[in-house]
Amino acid sequence: MKHAFLATLLLGIVTPTFGQTPKEAVVWIEAEQFAEPGGWVNDQQFVDIMGSPYLLANALGKPADDAVTTATVPRKADYRLWVRCRDWRPEHSPGKFQVVVNGVPSKTTFGVASNDAWQWIDGGSFALPAGEAEVRLHDLTGWWGRCDAVVLTTGAQPSNQLDQLAKQRQRHGGTSATVEPKGPYDVVVVGGGLAGCSAAIAAARHGCSVAFVQDRPILGGNASSEIRVAVSGDTSHEPLDPMETGIIEELHPLGVRGDPSRRYETVVRSQPGVGLFLNTRATGAVKADDATIAAVEAIDVQTGQRYEFRGKYFIDCTGDGWVGYWAGAAYRQGREAKSEFGEPAAPEKADNYSLSTSLNMSRIVPRDEPVEFTAPPWCPKWKSCDDFDPSPKKTVHSRGDLPPEGWHTRKMSTGRHPDTPSPGCGTWWLESGGTQDTIADAERIRDDLLRIKLGLWDHVKNHCPTFRELNRHREFVWTSHIAGKRESRRIEGDYILSQRDYMERTIHPDTVAYAGYNVDPHHPQGFWTTGPQAFRLYHFKVSVPYRILYSKNIDNLLMAGRNVSATHIAFNGVRVQRITCMMGQVVGTAAGMANRYATTPRGIYREHIGELQQTLLRDGCYLMGVKNEDPSDLALKATVTASSYATIADPRKPKADGVTVTLVPDNVVNGWNRAVHGEPNSWAPGKKQSGTRWIELDFGRPVAFDEVHVNFQLPEMAAEAYDLVAGDGRNWQTVCTAEGNTQRRRINRFDEIRASKLRLLLKAGATETDEARICEIRVYGQ
């Protein structure tokens, strides 16, 4: 496969710099654009720090297969080879490789330097004829060598200054010389985690054209198939609690199995109005004025094509808050002092520390014969189990508002002994980097995690009496190079969520979501801290206000995910992915409303917050303290009867107390779409009823409708089959039939009918008593 590169002859430049002297020839080859990457992988995580995607030799002690491409040499000449690369551990230079041009290897070995900076290294001279030249990246070690670009030139060295280097890439075809405009869109969503997926879907469902920009080839962010952080959420453990609801139920239903990223992409691509741009890394923002974003700049991380996504509203779901940062949004980074917000769990003094980063995915496989592993000299060594910190606990649950004694002053330890024969395979406690800058030092943090993984594998493979025999016939063959980051920037909104919101259990008037996950600070030293590595507070739900989801100083910027407006302590309660997905639905919906009313996100708060809340409820969300008052819902005005109703033991009381709750029909129109503080709040027919089981809504007069929403108590309490019939009490017509239903919330659409009554006829249930429990029925017409 021939790769098209630009080889230039630039003439007549008055001020000569690289590539601009008379008759100078330049062949510029971006590594990520190699036609055949072999065993090298495209790593785009650090574009914003080092300037470009690059190829990483992702192998474990066995050299990766060559990356190969062809380039066009413009004329016969002696060319100097320059390679932009990095020695990621200069004391040992583990990631060595060669560049082979037309079968001739470079005399220089790359990945060897006196420091760990990205820089151009002289590869010597090559006499090349005009025409096609084959270029190979030849890995020598199998230990994460890395190459950004290969340049053959008859002139000077390319620049090490990022701004000049960016211009040189454009001039010589490393990236496109022109910017391709995209849009204008109503909404531009940047970042393809669950928050971004939900934001894009919600905005499109509310009438917007959406550009959805994601830098990886798959969706999911930390929940993706290549990072695999568990999709956590509500830990309040209230009885009959269905956890987070809304779009999250479509993207990641409870108990889902298989490839999560494939499911996310299927759901996103099935949504009309969403333009999905994978492998597209946002790189900057264009401002219309000081308070308004006009466009987001981006680059295709495979081809180098540059884009400009123009839009009215921008949603930052990047995690690191890059869109807000480029636009000049106010943000926070690090831990606030206890005194700033009156947070008992915060440190006495503010600092720049944060939660650490993890590297979850690995593959360790069984073999028929014993497999040896020799640890490289640059990874940590634990030759005895006694070499680890002996502290037994990794997490402590606090009953008050304070962290464990001495939490903020804990000293560094020697690390923690693995509790599995496969360390690094989804172990949350293998985390590091919280005492560094998780943005500027992100590549070094990832590299440290690679080293720790190898050191732990060496221990359980060669030294640990508990796991050594188990691993005798096992081989460590692969690890993910994509890190799962917990914390970096938090963009400031009109309100900053703090520990006080948990302590006082405030229900905000602009509540748009809830956080049920415990406040879960991890120590900045992560794996390396003595004593508990994390502590947990507050296993109950708290209100999430809309004001933390839009920027206080950029008028058309919203955010969802781990970059929302919160202190370090409060952020720990809203950072997990079922919650961030709910926040994505909120901001996507708000952007749709803002577009419809031609206002700002702040304008939605000031003038339309009630409508936003009711819209979110209609779309399946649960808002603390906010009932369904949707004037379009015909069910709210109906009289409800049923064939019978059940009486059950109150789940909030011990069964021995004999306290019961009656599941009356009126529960389905009382405004609540789920259990509230454990109260069942549903209707179910009596266990002993024979014959047809039904619930009926009487509107008192003929009304036209074509849509019925049915919310069940829990997924396992959803009716497997039911009919919706409409009529006048004597004559009935079936308008919709549900078969094989597993959805907790189901929207039934059908041709418009005019009737005074609606019945839901249960045909089967999914509970052990064969009784479905219905929390809410909504009815809508055009």
Side-chain angles (χ1 to χ4, degrees):
M1 177 180 177
K2 181 179 178 181
H3 188 99
F5 295 104
L6 177 64
T8 58
L9 286 172
L10 299 176
L11 305 175
I13 305 299
V14 176
T15 305
T17 59
F18 171 79
Q20 293 184 328
T21 56
K23 299 184 180 180
E24 180 175 317
V26 178
V27 180
W28 192 291
I29 310 171
E30 288 291 320
E32 67 273 12
Q33 296 174 21
F34 268 52
E36 301 294 338
W40 299 63
V41 294
N42 186 325
D43 195 345
Q44 43 58 59
Q45 299 171 88
F46 317 112
V47 169
D48 310 284
I49 303 302
M50 52 75 66
S52 173
Y54 64 84
L55 283 188
L56 176 77
N58 192 30
L60 285 168
K62 298 176 182 179
D65 292 342
D66 289 357
V68 186
T69 198
T70 56
T72 301
V73 178
R75 60 179 170 84
K76 179 180 179 180
D78 288 339
Y79 288 81
R80 177 69 62 176
L81 171 68
W82 293 97
V83 177
R84 189 168 189 253
C85 56
R86 176 173 177 253
D87 181 352
W88 64 273
R89 195 73 180 174
E91 301 91 338
H92 301 278
S93 302
K96 300 184 183 74
F97 66 97
Q98 289 177 309
V99 174
V100 182
V101 183
N102 279 347
V104 179
S106 59
K107 295 179 180 178
T108 302
T109 297
F110 299 100
V112 179
S114 59
N115 59 60
D116 71 348
W118 279 96
Q119 56 195 300
W120 291 100
I121 302 296
D122 187 346
S125 180
F126 289 80
L128 299 177
E132 290 187 1
E134 183 192 73
V135 180
R136 290 176 174 266
L137 301 182
H138 180 62
D139 183 23
L140 297 173
T141 65
W143 296 122
W144 301 296
R146 53 205 73 184
C147 176
D148 171 23
V150 174
V151 170
L152 293 161
T153 177
T154 60
Q157 170 188 338
S159 177
N160 278 315
Q161 301 298 316
L162 289 184
D163 56 346
Q164 291 299 315
L165 178 56
K167 294 176 182 178
Q168 290 171 359
R169 291 186 204 271
Q170 295 167 24
R171 187 180 304 128
H172 302 297
T175 58
S176 61
T178 59
V179 177
E180 181 179 332
K182 295 288 186 180
Y185 295 91
D186 296 322
V187 177
V188 178
V189 179
V190 183
L194 282 175
C197 292
S198 183
I201 292 168
R205 287 180 180 174
H206 288 279
C208 294
S209 58
V210 180
F212 186 17
V213 180
Q214 160 70 340
D215 58 359
R216 297 297 301 158
I218 61 177
L219 294 173
N222 279 345
S224 70
S225 305
E226 59 189 0
I227 300 180
R228 292 276 189 171
V229 173
V231 180
S232 300
D234 194 343
T235 59
S236 59
H237 304 304
E238 292 183 354
L240 302 175
D241 195 333
M243 295 190 70
E244 293 79 7
T245 56
I247 291 175
I248 181 62
E249 296 175 284
E250 302 171 51
L251 288 166
H252 202 98
L254 292 174
V256 68
R257 295 291 184 269
D259 184 342
S261 291
R262 181 175 298 177
R263 180 182 182 88
Y264 305 151
E265 186 171 345
T266 298
V267 176
V268 169
R269 289 194 184 279
S270 67
Q271 178 58 55
V274 177
L276 178 60
F277 297 86
L278 297 174
N279 291 307
T280 306
R281 176 88 178 190
T283 57
V286 178
K287 300 288 288 295
D289 54 51
D290 288 345
T292 310
I293 303 172
V296 164
E297 299 167 321
I299 186 170
D300 186 308
V301 299
Q302 295 178 320
T303 69
Q305 175 63 54
R306 293 188 295 144
Y307 301 109
E308 187 176 270
F309 290 91
R310 302 169 183 170
K312 300 177 187 176
Y313 304 93
F314 295 83
I315 302 178
D316 189 336
C317 298
T318 62
D320 284 341
W322 278 113
V323 177
Y325 175 79
W326 294 318
Y331 69 91
R332 291 172 172 259
Q333 195 169 351
R335 304 188 298 182
E336 290 82 3
K338 180 181 298 186
S339 59
E340 185 173 0
F341 290 88
E343 297 179 298
E348 291 293 336
K349 294 182 180 180
D351 57 42
N352 292 322
Y353 291 172
S354 66
L355 301 188
S356 293
T357 299
S358 287
L359 197 61
N360 271 356
M361 292 291 289
S362 297
R363 189 178 303 127
I364 297 171
V365 298
R367 301 298 191 196
D368 293 335
E369 300 295 329
V371 181
E372 293 187 357
F373 175 77
T374 301
W378 37 265
C379 70
K381 300 292 192 299
W382 294 281
K383 293 187 177 180
S384 167
C385 297
D386 294 334
D387 291 342
F388 292 93
D389 176 19
S391 303
K393 292 184 178 179
K394 300 182 182 72
T395 303
V396 63
H397 294 263
S398 175
R399 296 189 178 185
D401 300 320
L402 297 173
E405 185 177 355
W407 173 262
H408 294 293
T409 57
R410 292 199 185 281
K411 297 179 180 180
M412 296 287 283
S413 76
T414 55
R416 299 181 175 278
H417 191 284
D419 53 9
T420 168
S422 304
C425 299
T427 44
W428 71 266
W429 50 264
L430 206 174
E431 54 179 339
S432 189
T435 58
Q436 299 168 262
D437 186 325
T438 55
I439 293 177
D441 298 323
E443 189 176 5
R444 294 185 181 93
I445 292 168
R446 189 276 309 274
D447 294 343
D448 285 343
L449 287 164
L450 291 171
R451 294 174 55 246
I452 295 169
K453 270 192 173 186
L454 286 181
L456 291 174
W457 175 244
D458 174 50
H459 177 74
V460 299
K461 175 75 173 174
N462 298 321
H463 306 292
C464 177
T466 303
F467 297 129
R468 185 173 52 214
E469 187 58 31
L470 289 172
N471 286 318
R472 188 164 174 262
H473 290 73
R474 302 176 80 217
E475 183 179 7
F476 191 2
V477 297
W478 175 86
T479 183
S480 173
H481 65 289
I482 305 294
K485 192 182 296 185
R486 288 180 175 85
E487 181 182 10
S488 50
R489 300 186 186 101
R490 305 183 301 279
I491 300 171
E492 290 189 12
D494 279 351
Y495 186 83
I496 297 175
L497 197 73
S498 75
Q499 187 183 358
R500 304 299 308 181
D501 293 282
Y502 284 84
M503 295 168 63
E504 297 162 9
R505 303 186 75 162
T506 308
I507 297 182
H508 296 275
D510 58 330
T511 185
V512 286
Y514 78 91
Y517 188 71
N518 48 262
V519 173
D520 180 29
H522 293 209
H523 198 283
Q525 292 166 186
F527 170 79
W528 298 107
T529 190
T530 58
Q533 193 169 333
F535 72 92
R536 293 178 178 174
L537 302 170
Y538 311 126
H539 289 270
F540 53 72
K541 294 178 174 63
V542 296
S543 162
V544 174
Y546 173 62
R547 287 164 293 162
I548 75 167
L549 302 178
Y550 62 86
S551 168
K552 73 176 186 180
N553 66 311
I554 303 298
D555 289 344
N556 60 341
L557 175 65
L558 301 109
M559 54 273 187
R562 58 182 177 82
N563 57 0
V564 300
S565 182
T567 66
H568 167 79
I569 293 295
F571 144 88
N572 280 278
V574 298
R575 64 183 174 84
V576 297
Q577 293 169 94
R578 297 188 74 85
I579 300 168
T580 62
C581 188
M582 287 195 303
M583 294 191 290
Q585 182 170 354
V586 172
V587 295
T589 305
M593 289 179 58
N595 187 51
R596 187 165 69 251
Y597 287 117
T599 187
T600 62
R602 181 180 287 109
I604 295 298
Y605 166 67
R606 290 177 173 172
E607 300 173 16
H608 305 285
I609 191 63
E611 182 181 346
L612 174 61
Q613 291 172 323
Q614 291 300 315
T615 301
L616 291 168
L617 288 175
R618 176 172 176 166
D619 291 344
C621 300
Y622 166 64
L623 310 185
M624 296 176 67
V626 182
K627 296 175 67 173
N628 173 18
E629 297 176 349
D630 185 352
S632 300
D633 181 6
L634 299 172
L636 290 179
K637 304 178 183 69
T639 301
V640 187
T641 55
S643 58
S644 62
Y645 48 84
T647 298
I648 63 169
D650 191 332
R652 299 165 295 179
K653 305 289 184 181
K655 288 186 178 180
D657 288 356
V659 180
T660 61
V661 177
T662 302
L663 304 182
V664 297
D666 283 345
N667 284 344
V668 303
V669 293
N670 68 3
W672 300 109
N673 60 9
R674 62 189 288 167
V676 179
H677 302 308
E679 182 178 348
N681 188 55
S682 61
W683 167 81
K687 294 180 182 179
K688 297 181 180 180
Q689 180 192 349
S690 60
T692 305
R693 301 169 300 162
W694 52 264
I695 186 168
E696 178 181 295
L697 277 63
D698 185 344
F699 305 112
R701 59 184 177 83
V703 295
F705 55 93
D706 57 5
E707 185 173 300
V708 175
H709 300 195
V710 183
N711 279 307
F712 298 97
Q713 187 85 70
L714 292 170
E716 58 267 30
M717 294 179 178
E720 294 173 0
Y722 60 84
D723 288 336
L724 292 174
V725 300
D728 58 8
R730 295 183 301 275
N731 301 302
W732 297 96
Q733 177 183 344
T734 300
V735 296
C736 186
T737 295
E739 299 283 354
N741 177 55
T742 60
Q743 299 175 41
R744 187 200 65 85
R745 174 176 176 265
R746 188 176 181 113
I747 299 176
N748 307 274
R749 294 186 175 95
F750 41 86
D751 292 337
E752 184 179 80
I753 190 168
R754 190 171 184 83
S756 59
K757 294 183 179 183
L758 172 71
R759 273 191 182 184
L760 187 151
L761 307 178
L762 291 171
K763 297 164 72 174
T767 67
E768 60 182 7
T769 58
D770 196 36
E771 292 176 357
R773 294 190 191 175
I774 302 174
C775 282
E776 181 182 53
I777 298 176
R778 290 173 173 243
V779 181
Y780 292 99
Q782 295 291 341

